[in-house]
């Protein structure tokens, strides 16, 4: 299927690795000009080269902008490089796992800043231009924990649920202008984040990280973890011309892991 977005401009946040990188690759393959952000310049440039190679004959341009998207300065750099995106993919590293008794007020503020307020600030900076031009696709990478909270991810559960509530209202005001806003909820995908949560779950037990991962794979109805490319392609479809009637949704990609969400 031709997704009808060749020549569009996308800003993809936290895209030097994992699911953000996968989204950048899938969009570039569709001929979308991609601006990528991440904190580490060296890793980001290596990822940008990977996206350029994936773009192949489409000729899609790929720009790498190093900076922390969770800060005003980082957002300013990204928006200066891509001031009028047609597509916005918000993403930021999830907050640390653990026991809520260990978290300070500063931990909570950092989680809300990164996983709720940063996407809202980016939406605020871009959505009016999208509506004026008559096309926009905003996809927030959140977490399957929004629908099925995970006890050790309380910081993420809270901050991302706040973003979900905000999007639910706004998405119904922008869709008449062909601007959709949706959330893409990853379950267990093979990423560094998955390894970190497995390590946290293994602490204080007699199990190794490898044993925790094996048990999680076996427990998933799909019998495996998701691959980032699958996530990227789903993101690209949500950004497509054909997805204009899909807004305010929370698309869960989990291999069937979370019961009671159908």
């Amino acid at each position: 299927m031709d997704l009808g977005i060749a020549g569009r401009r996308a800003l993809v946040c936290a895209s030097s690795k994992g699911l953000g990188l996968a989204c950048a690759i899938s969009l570039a393959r569709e001929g979308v000009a991609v601006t990528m952000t991440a904190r580490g310049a060296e890793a980001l440039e290596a990822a940008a080269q990977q996206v350029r190679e994936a773009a192949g004959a489409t000729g899609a341009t790929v720009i790498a902008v190093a900076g922390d998207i969770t800060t005003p300065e980082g957002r300013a750099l990204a928006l200066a490089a891509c001031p009028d995106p047609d597509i916005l993919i918000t993403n930021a590293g999830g907050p640390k796992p653990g026991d809520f008794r260990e978290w300070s007020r500063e931990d909570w503020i950092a989680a809300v800043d990164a996983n709720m307020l940063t996407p809202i600030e980016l939406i605020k900076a871009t959505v009016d231009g999208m509506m004026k031009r008559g096309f926009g696709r905003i996809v927030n990478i959140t977490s399957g924990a929004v629908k099925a909270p995970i006890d050790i991810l309380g910081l993420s559960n809270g901050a991302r649920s706040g973003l979900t509530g905000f999007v639910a209202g706004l998405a119904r005001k922008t869709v008449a202008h062909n601007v959709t806003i949706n959330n893409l909820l990853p379950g267990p995908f093979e990423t560094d984040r998955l390894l970190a949560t497995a390590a946290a779950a293994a602490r204080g037990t007699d199990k190794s990280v490898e044993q925790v991962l094996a048990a999680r794979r076996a427990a998933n109805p799909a019998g495996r973890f998701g691959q980032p490319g699958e996530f990227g392609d789903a993101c690209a479809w949500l950004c497509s011309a054909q997805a204009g009637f899909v807004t305010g949704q929370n698309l869960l990609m989990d291999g069937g892991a979370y019961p009671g969400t159908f």
Side-chain angles (χ1 to χ4, degrees):
M1 179 188 293
D2 181 353
L3 298 186
I5 50 177
R8 297 288 186 183
R9 302 175 300 276
L11 174 59
V12 186
C13 302
S15 49
S16 65
K17 60 182 179 179
L19 301 182
L21 173 57
C23 292
I25 288 173
S26 292
L27 288 169
R29 284 175 175 163
E30 293 296 323
V32 176
V34 176
T35 298
M36 302 170 61
T37 75
R39 287 175 293 182
E42 186 175 345
L44 179 62
E45 184 51 46
Q49 184 56 36
Q50 187 177 345
V51 177
R52 293 183 188 106
E53 292 170 2
T58 68
T61 59
V62 180
I63 298 173
V65 180
D68 185 349
I69 201 68
T70 69
T71 66
E73 297 78 12
R75 290 191 290 275
L77 286 171
L79 291 167
C82 187
D84 297 303
D86 304 298
I87 295 166
L88 170 65
I89 312 300
T90 76
N91 186 30
K96 62 184 180 182
D99 187 311
F100 80 95
R101 297 172 185 84
E102 302 168 354
W103 299 328
S104 66
R105 173 178 173 79
E106 288 70 28
D107 291 329
W108 279 106
I109 295 301
V112 170
D113 268 343
N115 299 123
M116 178 181 173
L117 296 181
T118 288
I120 291 173
E121 289 292 333
L122 288 166
I123 292 169
K124 183 170 72 172
T126 58
V127 72
D128 288 340
M130 292 177 179
M131 289 193 291
K132 184 176 181 179
R133 295 189 300 274
F135 181 92
R137 300 289 184 264
I138 298 173
V139 177
N140 303 300
I141 300 176
T142 65
S143 170
V146 169
K147 285 195 172 184
I150 300 170
D151 58 353
I152 63 170
L153 298 183
L155 290 170
S156 179
N157 296 341
R160 297 188 195 278
S161 293
L163 176 63
T164 301
F166 169 79
V167 166
L170 180 61
R172 288 159 176 82
K173 295 181 178 179
T174 64
V175 67
H177 303 275
N178 193 28
V179 177
T180 66
I181 311 176
N182 293 287
N183 304 316
L184 199 49
L185 283 56
F189 277 79
E190 297 238 18
T191 63
D192 290 347
R193 175 68 168 172
L194 181 73
L195 292 176
T197 58
R203 280 197 294 269
T205 73
D206 59 356
K207 296 180 180 179
S208 67
V209 174
E210 291 72 21
Q211 288 172 320
V212 170
L213 290 171
R216 288 185 178 178
R217 288 190 191 96
N220 193 294
R224 64 179 179 89
F225 295 138
Q227 296 301 309
E230 296 174 290
F231 189 91
D233 288 347
C235 179
W237 183 83
L238 281 176
C239 297
S240 71
Q242 294 90 336
F245 205 57
V246 181
T247 199
Q249 300 303 306
N250 292 286
L251 178 59
L252 178 64
M253 297 185 67
D254 66 346
Y258 299 139
T261 55
F262 180 69

